[in-house]
Amino acid sequence: MAGSYDLIVFGSGTAAMVASNRASAAGRKVAVTDFRPFGGTCALRGCDPKKMLVTGAQVMDDIRRMRTRGVVAPEARISWPELMAFKRTFTAPIPEKQARNYAGKGIDAFHGRARFVGRNAVAIEGEGVCEARHILIAAGARPAPLPFPGAEHLVTNEEFLELEELPPRIILVGGGYIAAEFSHIAARAGASVTILQRGERLLTQFDPDLVGWLMESFHEVGIDVRTRHAVVRVEKAGHGYTVLTRSETGAEEAMEADLVVHAAGRIPDLEPLQLDAAGVARDERGHLRLNAFLQSPSNPAVYAAGDAARTGPPLTPVSSHDAKVAVRNMIEGNQYRPDYRGVPSVAFTIPPIASVGLSEAEARQRNLRFRLRSQRVSGWYTARRVAEPTYGFKVLVDEDTDRVLGAHLVGPHVDEVINIFGLAIRHGLTAEDLKTTMFGYPTGASDIGYML
């Protein structure tokens, strides 16, 4: 097969789907290629299936907290195989559904590894060479390389989400979203869980005070969090593994586990693409060099979106936004820049933690005049109703304009409430606008006025 297209897209995740659909709707001839099942990380191997598992863990935690408050469920437990089967009711149909979507819109969809063989030419495994006026890199991310011997024994976050059975002893290496979220899932499913984090705390993307409050929920369910602990090596030991760690004092300890999970971050999956063949430049960190329009300056035919672009937060809504911007620039000329104002981030721990806008540290670095309200509010109705002791907030408001600069929340329903603050930041609403809004009561959103 050899063909010519207006747009070829590497990948089939959120950014790829949005871009290919929009370009096709604009009358462009489009092809997508992915060596994995169509659907991408978020739908198949990340956000969506993860949150389905979180739902089961959340139910178990609800029962735990309400056990002496009228809920009697002595037999309640998670059946891991059944929970995974429930997850697959969502993930299993996606590849075929997306293939039908491509076919219905006249988009050529190919399965196979793809790589550049020229500035406008792409070789697709098993298909041949195609040429395109534009090429969009939306190939997602992969686990970051780990520097210690035995790293090959670790399973990835994607492999964790496909486990048929949950092992009894689990160690997670890393301290970001994956470690925080998966530890809560596994612990509430009955596993003994340890987190090993090189840094001084978990979830460095979130406010340190709120993370400190959240850590009580880790301890409450028995998650062993060891910060300032580096992994020296991992060895196979019978049916399990021995993980040798070193603390900041230099003390070494051997820990036994049935499963060791890579939770130390992800990087753009660029190596297989052979970017040099297309003259696509990268920076000193190995990330794509892109201009303000998500375009490669060294090869103007090439654009990028989502995790591959790495210009905004590594979040699914950002991937969609990037794709819309990139396609408009391809079609109309470079006129549009991505706008990442008011993009919320959420870690689906139990309870969740959420953030949007500037942190307190960032606001101080910019010498902004702002008022800060921060309080732990375990006694508020929202927390007491569900017997959740972890509930608090930190909100920053500009002194001169009364506009919300940042909001940081932890506790029940904050994964939804943070979106109101995101709306305010993106559209310039003031604190007074929020305080005078009548939210449904009693809901998590009805607490917003008291946070300002």
Side-chain angles (χ1 to χ4, degrees):
M1 183 279 298
S4 180
Y5 295 90
D6 295 302
L7 172 64
I8 295 176
V9 182
F10 287 99
S12 66
T14 300
M17 182 175 63
V18 170
S20 59
N21 286 348
R22 292 206 164 206
S24 177
R28 270 47 178 188
K29 187 179 180 184
V30 181
V32 299
T33 178
D34 198 338
F35 70 98
R36 306 182 76 168
F38 294 144
T41 298
C42 184
L44 295 179
R45 305 177 292 273
C47 327
D48 291 340
K50 169 202 69 185
K51 196 169 182 186
M52 295 184 80
L53 302 188
V54 168
T55 300
Q58 179 69 62
V59 170
M60 294 305 300
D61 200 61
D62 289 342
I63 292 171
R64 177 186 67 82
R65 284 181 282 102
M66 297 298 293
R67 185 166 288 132
T68 60
R69 297 169 174 86
V71 173
V72 180
E75 302 299 321
R77 64 179 181 84
I78 286 178
S79 167
W80 188 263
E82 291 182 12
L83 185 61
M84 294 297 284
F86 173 56
K87 181 213 72 169
R88 292 190 182 103
T89 64
F90 174 82
T91 57
I94 287 174
E96 179 59 31
K97 180 180 178 181
Q98 196 168 114
R100 290 197 303 269
N101 170 74
Y102 290 140
K105 295 183 177 178
I107 298 168
D108 290 344
F110 303 111
H111 279 296
R113 285 273 186 189
R115 58 187 173 85
F116 285 103
V117 291
R119 293 180 68 82
N120 293 76
V122 173
I124 301 174
E125 184 180 18
E127 299 290 347
V129 175
C130 301
E131 293 189 348
R133 181 180 177 187
H134 290 115
I135 298 164
L136 179 70
I137 300 175
R142 62 182 175 88
L146 296 173
F148 50 79
E152 68 275 10
H153 297 307
L154 276 67
V155 302
T156 67
N157 60 299
E158 298 177 6
E159 292 169 316
F160 180 92
L161 291 172
E162 292 296 334
L163 290 174
E164 295 295 339
E165 297 286 347
L166 189 69
R169 300 171 301 171
I170 298 175
I171 291 176
L172 296 118
V173 179
Y177 289 84
I178 295 170
E181 295 171 338
F182 285 15
S183 65
H184 279 253
I185 294 169
R188 286 167 177 82
S192 173
V193 181
T194 300
I195 296 175
L196 301 174
Q197 160 70 327
R198 291 178 61 97
E200 63 182 21
R201 67 182 180 93
L202 302 190
L203 295 171
T204 55
Q205 306 92 330
F206 295 90
D207 181 88
D209 295 330
L210 274 65
V211 172
W213 299 339
L214 177 64
M215 293 313 300
E216 294 178 15
S217 71
F218 285 74
H219 303 318
E220 183 70 23
V221 294
I223 300 170
D224 183 5
V225 179
R226 303 193 182 191
T227 56
R228 298 187 176 93
H229 274 67
V231 175
V232 177
R233 66 177 179 272
V234 177
E235 297 175 345
K236 190 82 174 71
H239 294 294
Y241 303 91
T242 299
V243 180
L244 183 66
T245 70
R246 182 181 294 124
S247 71
E248 62 177 344
T249 66
E252 293 190 350
E253 179 181 357
M255 305 178 65
E256 304 301 319
D258 303 296
L259 183 75
V260 188
V261 182
H262 183 322
R266 293 165 65 83
I267 60 174
D269 191 15
L270 302 176
E271 296 305 324
L273 307 186
Q274 297 190 12
L275 299 173
D276 289 346
V280 176
R282 294 197 277 180
D283 62 21
E284 60 280 354
R285 299 172 299 167
H287 297 165
L288 294 172
R289 289 191 184 277
L290 301 174
N291 61 23
F293 307 104
L294 301 178
Q295 180 188 44
S296 169
S298 59
N299 183 347
V302 176
Y303 288 76
D307 289 342
R310 208 60 181 261
T311 54
L315 303 169
T316 299
V318 168
S319 296
S320 176
H321 177 70
D322 283 353
K324 295 171 187 175
V325 170
V327 168
R328 291 188 74 182
N329 286 332
M330 292 177 201
I331 293 173
E332 301 175 35
N334 285 347
Q335 303 179 48
Y336 305 98
R337 302 167 187 245
D339 177 4
Y340 303 125
R341 290 175 300 153
V343 180
S345 296
V346 180
F348 291 99
T349 48
I350 303 173
I353 186 169
S355 174
V356 67
L358 297 180
S359 68
E360 181 182 357
E362 289 169 335
R364 297 196 187 284
Q365 288 168 2
R366 298 186 188 187
N367 295 316
L368 298 177
R369 283 171 24 90
F370 64 94
R371 62 181 182 271
L372 172 69
R373 285 213 65 198
S374 180
Q375 189 177 355
R376 184 166 182 175
V377 288
S378 304
W380 284 12
Y381 176 79
T382 296
R384 291 188 63 189
R385 180 181 65 81
V386 295
E388 174 56 74
T390 301
Y391 188 34
F393 64 89
K394 182 178 287 188
V395 177
L396 295 75
V397 177
D398 190 290
E399 284 279 23
D400 300 318
T401 66
D402 195 45
R403 290 183 176 177
V404 178
L405 296 173
H408 311 273
L409 315 174
V410 62
H413 313 301
V414 303
D415 50 331
E416 300 290 348
V417 174
I418 197 66
N419 294 310
I420 304 296
F421 286 104
L423 179 76
I425 291 172
R426 190 165 186 87
H427 297 286
L429 302 181
T430 65
E432 187 64 19
D433 290 331
L434 294 183
K435 285 193 286 188
T436 56
T437 298
M438 289 180 282
F439 295 103
Y441 179 87
T443 64
S446 63
D447 288 345
I448 288 175
Y450 301 101
M451 296 177 179
L452 295 163

